[in-house]
Amino acid sequence: MSVSALESKRLEAVLKGDEEVEVVGTGTDAVAYALMLADIDVTSAYPIRPYGGVMQTVARLIADGYMKAEYIVAAHEHDQFEIVKHASAVGARTFVGSSGVGWLLAIEAIVAISTDRYPVVALIGNRALDDPGAYGVEHNDALMVRDVGWLLVWVDTAQEALDTTLIAYRVAEDPRVMLPVGISMDGAFLTHSEHVFKIPPKSKVQKFLPPYDLGNRRLHPSNVISVAPQVNEDWVTELRKQMDEAMKNARKVIEEAYRDFAKIFGRDYGNPFVEPYMVEDADVVMVGMGTVSKPIKEAVRRLRAKGEKVGFLRIRWFRPFPTDDIIRYLSGVKVVAVVDRDYSFGSPFDGGAVFTEIRSALYEADHRPLMMNFIGGLGGREITYNDAINMFNMALEAARKGKVEQRVIWYGVRE
């Protein structure tokens, strides 16, 4: 389906003018518009919900002349990621995406993209892993690659999805980093829901995002290099250490990117890594990622009106992990309650992945708060405002008693 006359007028405005325009669209639409502004060269597509909205909107934008990019339909998800890996190697700015088990089907190529240090940007439309089949959101698909060199970021609005896509290219392609970025977006709750968001003018994007340049690592007949050689015990350790340094460098690069983004676009996200909400004097702080922030923030407002000192901390960047910010915002509170839209079977204390990482980060804190873990919202089940109130009440009771009766709670499980 072609773009409407109104959308055509708006797209012309952002591509040729200096003013941003306001539109209504899904979270995946917002990512597609960011790809248009970023002038990607190659995208490889294979349908799987809930990420698929991006490939549909990109296809429409290319067909109607608003994007000039190679659109390659892959045979399956593994092919998708192999295509963008090789395109990135020869100097093309690339985009790819998938969800759930599709993301994991590509795991061999996903690992190679990071270890070969190609700055691919991918959308992960968070979805439960089969079996049993479920299209609803869980975070385990993205978290499966948390230890192999991908930078991971979660968004919770369409506007943040668009802006973060532009920031992701800026960070990934920085010579100090050269690592891929996975942008995680909660399936259905953000991928398919419609939001009002603003598309910035391309002139501002060009100021913010330099052209992609691999330098002397670009694969070309005139530049004789070796890519992914068989080095075994001779050099693997040194290459892994280089990736470790790149991930550490990413913290500074992310800070620079958000600072420059605020100057150029006028949208300031404050702390790039986390979003604190009424945490300054809180006794109890809930922590989560993605769209779970909406009902929890509403619960914070209602409980604050009743005099309860509660707050919320949303994690944006999970890799690199915001250790210093976790200590800064959480070490002084009485109880930290982590909401995990994931599971980590057999983990320490049988908690979720986010709970375990936060507990580890707080080990170095001068004051370690009591910690609780709510595992919920799996398979796309909603975490409602009333759920958030119930979770806060349990955490507030622990704060009053000075102890946690049950550390990990699978919330809302039917017996």
Side-chain angles (χ1 to χ4, degrees), residues 48-125:
I48 186 171
R49 70 182 84 173
Y51 123 88
V54 180
M55 60 177 285
Q56 294 161 9
T57 303
V58 167
R60 183 163 52 86
L61 292 171
I62 292 173
D64 290 339
Y66 296 102
M67 289 182 66
K68 293 181 180 179
E70 289 291 328
Y71 187 99
I72 303 171
V73 180
H76 45 66
E77 288 88 352
H78 188 281
D79 276 6
Q80 268 186 282
F81 286 79
E82 283 292 334
I83 288 167
V84 295
K85 180 184 77 173
H86 290 91
S88 185
V90 297
R93 177 172 287 163
T94 62
F95 172 82
V96 69
S98 194
S99 297
V101 290
W103 171 254
L104 294 189
L105 176 61
I107 194 68
E108 179 187 34
I110 285 171
V111 173
I113 287 169
S114 59
T115 52
D116 288 346
R117 305 286 298 278
Y118 292 130
V120 171
V121 172
L123 178 70
I124 311 163

Side-chain angles (χ1 to χ4, degrees), residues 1-12:
M1 184 175 65
S2 297
V3 300
S4 65
L6 177 59
E7 185 180 5
S8 177
K9 184 177 180 181
R10 288 172 170 169
L11 292 178
E12 292 288 348

Side-chain angles (χ1 to χ4, degrees), residues 206-249:
Q206 290 171 331
K207 293 179 183 178
F208 174 74
L209 186 59
Y212 175 37
D213 183 9
L214 264 178
N216 60 12
R217 293 179 56 236
R218 181 178 173 229
L219 186 61
H220 190 273
S222 65
N223 182 39
V224 182
I225 60 173
S226 178
V227 177
Q230 190 74 25
V231 297
N232 297 326
E233 70 278 5
D234 290 333
W235 288 105
V236 165
T237 300
E238 286 71 24
L239 293 173
R240 298 287 187 262
K241 187 62 174 68
Q242 288 178 7
M243 291 179 67
D244 179 60
E245 292 301 318
M247 186 64 76
K248 291 175 181 176
N249 291 342

